[in-house]
Amino acid sequence: MTAPKSKDVVGGPVLNEGEDRPRVLVVDDDERNLMAISTVLEDISEVVTAASGEEALRHLLKGEFAVILLDVYMPGMDGYETAQIIRNREQTKRIPIVFLSAVNKETEHLMRGYAMGAVDYVFKPVDALVLRSKVAVFVDLFAKTKEIERTARKEQALLDANLRANSDRLRAERELRRAENQLFQAQKMDAIGKLTGGVAHDFNNLLAAVIGGLSLIERRVSLDAKQQEILSMTRHAAEQGTELVGRLLAFARRQQLQPANIDIVAMESAVTGLLTHTLGGLVQLEWKLPPGLWHAFADPAQLELALMNLIINARDSMVEGGTVLVTAENQTVQAGQRGELKPGHYVVLTVADTGCGIPAEMIEEVLQPFVTTKEIGKGTGLGLSMVYGFAQQSNGAFQLKSEVGKGTQAEIWLPRAAAREKAAPVSQGGEIVESRSLNILVVDDHHEVRTATAGMLEELGHVVRQAPLGRDALEALDGNGSCDLLITDYAMPNMSGTELVREARKRLPGLRSMIITGYADNEVLAGNLEDIAILSKPFSLEKLAQAIGSVVGDPAKVH
């Protein structure tokens, strides 16, 4: 392991004088690993080391830890056994566990680790910067949690002391406190969102390679009916994975939205049509939309998906049947009226049911990913978190109101569309847009994605060169400046996709460029460069062809 060049590459939490530093427990039977990891982490947390699972459990009895870095293979009690015991103890079951492993990157071993309670894996030899970045998230979350708990205790003591003072002061102090809770919730959701977004990025890379490979197989290999059926089943599974990742990105507020002017009244028939065969005979869907309803400004496809998730949740809560009621109204928010919303005009959509309801203590919890009140096997726990993330990213809000035994009302607050805002362009569906043969440079540090992308481009008739990193791409351009189009991944070591495009355009002014990304902030991309196309991973051959056609301005359709 190599330590970062400077101690301030990844910052730890800022603590007030006299406060204890968050502690990290490192468990590894190799003393050299313990020393190396301690050196890397010592400036962002207090590091406690253990050479065995038994010693680690003794440390856990003596205090709290922000995160546990746990070696998988140790003599005696291994990492999996240690993690299972930690998860079974009430006082330690919520401590995040990151497994350290030098071998077994296969899916079955990773899944076993996640089943034992791991939230992440770090493979040896450990990259110091990666380790510090991952640990810093947990340490920061732990420190903020403790800070808010201390603040809450102090304010509770003050509240008790002044309980008999006067009702006005008491009311103000209470309001200052459902606000501090909202701040804590926002900080917690932001930290979880960062972790979730990172996981989604990795899955998008895997899915991009799978879907790209399937497209090439289908076009290059003559398949009989049975083989075509198997390929179709595989593609369907990959597309389900794409939908799952989309929900993760929605929660993490990292999905790429295309907001447009939305007529809710016109959307009614589309959503109803999509759910006609899903609701079943016992549940009816009813809409009540008032005349003069404003248009909303959001991504139409994501709003449809959000409404469908809420309606299906409502259906599932009414096991004996009933009516799901969708209503909408215009609302104007004044300054300070709703803390999470800016002053302005909003369209509020409400999906209401008369089902089993959600316990009060679960309201905030069900907005987190992978948390569900449904039976095992009947829900991913991503529906409500996706709606929450979509509303937040759309500059709106999402609120649940529920009472056990009486039902639930889910509200989506979306900004009102201005008259000048146009509808989003309609997709060209499955058509392939052909352009002339181009000299294309593909840059991606993920070998499988780069290879699949290059194969798809060659299938479209283009001449392709590949480079794994930004510096390799620049060397290729210096050696042979012939390049009609640069296609680059966004998140790469040392040089991001936007930095690469900027440097490449110094060599070839006006170079047409496209960024492919599994996880990126649109505002950051838009703020860095103009005249650049963005294509989300995973993508099909058709979407790649359409994106290239839009960049090079050649709209000829072939099939």
Side-chain angles (χ1 to χ4, degrees):
M1 176 186 298
T2 303
K5 294 181 180 179
S6 62
K7 295 274 187 171
D8 59 351
V9 173
V10 178
V14 178
L15 301 177
N16 297 323
E17 186 176 353
E19 294 179 2
D20 294 332
R21 302 178 74 204
R23 300 196 302 165
V24 173
L25 178 58
V26 183
V27 189
D28 197 310
D29 62 308
D30 190 322
E31 184 177 349
R32 294 169 299 179
N33 287 341
L34 292 176
M35 182 177 298
I37 293 174
S38 298
T39 302
V40 170
L41 300 179
E42 63 185 0
D43 62 322
I44 63 173
S45 65
E46 178 183 347
V47 180
V48 177
T49 61
S52 66
E54 293 84 355
E55 185 181 354
L57 295 176
R58 289 195 294 271
H59 281 302
L60 289 168
L61 292 174
K62 300 176 182 178
E64 296 180 295
F65 291 88
V67 64
I68 301 170
L69 304 180
L70 181 57
D71 188 28
V72 173
Y73 291 105
M74 297 182 294
M77 183 185 296
D78 66 13
Y80 296 128
E81 295 174 301
T82 306
Q84 189 171 27
I85 294 174
I86 292 171
R87 282 289 174 262
N88 288 335
R89 287 181 172 177
E90 183 64 31
Q91 63 270 36
T92 60
K93 67 180 182 181
R94 299 190 185 280
I95 303 176
I97 297 174
V98 176
F99 272 138
L100 305 172
S101 177
V103 294
N104 286 333
K105 298 183 181 180
E106 293 82 4
T107 300
E108 59 178 326
H109 294 284
L110 298 180
M111 291 302 102
R112 182 185 178 192
Y114 288 126
M116 292 296 104
V119 298
D120 204 351
Y121 261 89
V122 174
F123 293 102
K124 300 177 182 178
V126 176
D127 184 285
L129 181 60
V130 171
L131 182 65
R132 284 169 58 86
S133 298
K134 290 177 180 288
V135 171
V137 172
F138 294 108
V139 169
D140 190 51
L141 178 60
F142 181 86
K144 288 179 178 177
T145 301
K146 291 303 174 185
E147 179 184 353
I148 291 173
E149 288 177 353
R150 285 191 295 270
T151 302
R153 286 195 296 269
K154 292 177 182 177
E155 291 183 351
Q156 184 61 51
L158 179 63
L159 188 64
D160 294 340
N162 292 278
L163 187 61
R164 292 176 293 275
N166 62 71
S167 59
D168 291 339
R169 182 176 179 183
L170 180 61
R171 188 179 303 111
E173 289 171 350
R174 284 176 175 168
E175 290 174 355
L176 175 62
R177 184 182 177 190
R178 282 181 278 283
E180 287 177 341
N181 285 338
Q182 289 177 353
L183 174 61
F184 169 68
Q185 179 69 7
Q187 291 174 331
K188 179 174 68 174
M189 298 295 269
D190 183 63
I192 297 175
K194 289 177 181 177
L195 293 174
T196 305
V199 172
H201 169 263
D202 293 339
F203 271 101
N204 266 338
N205 274 332
L206 297 174
L207 290 169
V210 171
I211 292 177
L214 291 175
S215 297
L216 293 177
I217 291 173
E218 188 172 35
R219 292 177 65 88
R220 294 180 177 178
V221 180
S222 178
L223 303 175
D224 59 32
K226 185 62 177 178
Q227 292 169 333
Q228 183 64 48
E229 181 183 357
I230 294 173
L231 186 140
S232 298
M233 290 171 56
T234 306
R235 178 187 286 108
H236 178 67
E239 289 171 348
Q240 285 183 315
T242 301
E243 181 182 347
L244 181 66
V245 171
R247 294 185 180 188
L248 286 169
L249 288 173
F251 167 76
R253 289 177 253 169
R254 299 295 192 274
Q255 63 181 342
Q256 296 184 14
L257 298 180
Q258 293 181 319
N261 187 317
I262 302 177
D263 183 352
I264 305 299
V265 176
M267 183 174 281
E268 173 186 346
S269 60
V271 174
T272 301
L274 290 169
L275 292 171
T276 297
H277 301 293
T278 304
L279 293 179
L282 293 177
V283 175
Q284 302 297 318
L285 177 60
E286 182 180 345
W287 294 72
K288 288 187 178 179
L289 306 178
L293 183 65
W294 296 331
H295 288 193
F297 187 64
D299 186 306
Q302 292 300 321
L303 178 56
E304 282 188 8
L305 182 60
L307 287 173
M308 289 170 61
N309 270 296
L310 294 177
I311 293 169
I312 291 172
N313 275 352
R315 176 206 65 183
D316 292 344
S317 73
M318 299 188 294
V319 292
E320 297 180 358
T323 299
V324 179
L325 179 61
V326 181
T327 60
E329 61 179 334
N330 302 328
Q331 286 281 3
T332 298
V333 175
Q334 307 294 337
Q337 188 175 356
R338 290 181 65 96
E340 72 274 31
L341 287 176
K342 297 178 181 178
H345 301 299
Y346 294 85
V347 179
V348 184
L349 288 149
T350 302
V351 178
D353 63 68
T354 55
C356 57
I358 303 172
E361 63 274 13
M362 287 287 292
I363 290 290
E364 290 185 357
E365 206 170 331
V366 296
L367 297 180
Q368 301 176 18
F370 310 116
V371 175
T372 179
T373 58
K374 297 179 183 179
E375 298 177 15
I376 294 176
K378 291 190 176 180
T380 62
L382 288 172
L384 292 178
S385 63
M386 183 280 290
V387 179
Y388 172 85
F390 160 69
Q392 292 286 320
Q393 195 176 354
S394 301
N395 296 317
F398 179 60
Q399 183 176 12
L400 281 177
K401 301 175 182 177
S402 189
E403 188 173 348
V404 175
K406 293 189 177 181
T408 301
Q409 298 83 44
E411 295 181 357
I412 304 177
W413 290 63
L414 296 173
R416 178 186 182 183
R420 65 179 180 275
E421 288 158 351
K422 305 289 185 180
V426 178
S427 170
Q428 295 179 350
E431 297 176 326
I432 293 182
V433 179
E434 185 185 61
S435 69
R436 68 182 186 278
S437 179
L438 303 172
N439 290 318
I440 299 179
L441 177 59
V442 177
V443 190
D444 199 312
D445 62 308
H446 195 287
H447 173 74
E448 289 80 5
V449 176
R450 187 177 69 252
T451 303
T453 303
M456 294 166 75
L457 291 168
E458 290 169 350
E459 187 68 22
L460 293 171
H462 302 296
V463 178
V464 183
R465 287 185 290 166
Q466 300 182 41
L469 296 172
R471 63 172 180 268
D472 303 307
L474 294 177
E475 289 176 3
L477 291 177
D478 290 336
N480 179 2
S482 176
C483 183
D484 300 312
L485 176 64
L486 171 64
I487 299 179
T488 175
D489 185 30
Y490 174 74
M492 298 185 295
N494 302 319
M495 183 184 297
S496 71
T498 51
E499 291 171 334
L500 171 58
V501 172
R502 187 180 295 109
E503 291 299 317
R505 286 180 172 174
K506 291 179 181 178
R507 292 161 170 80
L508 297 175
L511 175 63
R512 283 170 291 195
S513 306
M514 180 192 306
I515 283 182
I516 54 176
T517 175
Y519 168 65
D521 189 330
N522 278 350
E523 293 182 1
V524 171
L525 291 177
N528 279 316
L529 287 168
E530 296 180 356
D531 188 27
I532 188 168
I534 301 173
L535 181 61
S536 298
K537 298 178 186 177
F539 47 83
S540 64
L541 188 68
E542 292 79 9
K543 287 184 178 179
L544 178 60
Q546 290 169 14
I548 292 173
S550 68
V551 172
V552 301
D554 191 340
K557 300 174 185 175
V558 292
H559 56 83

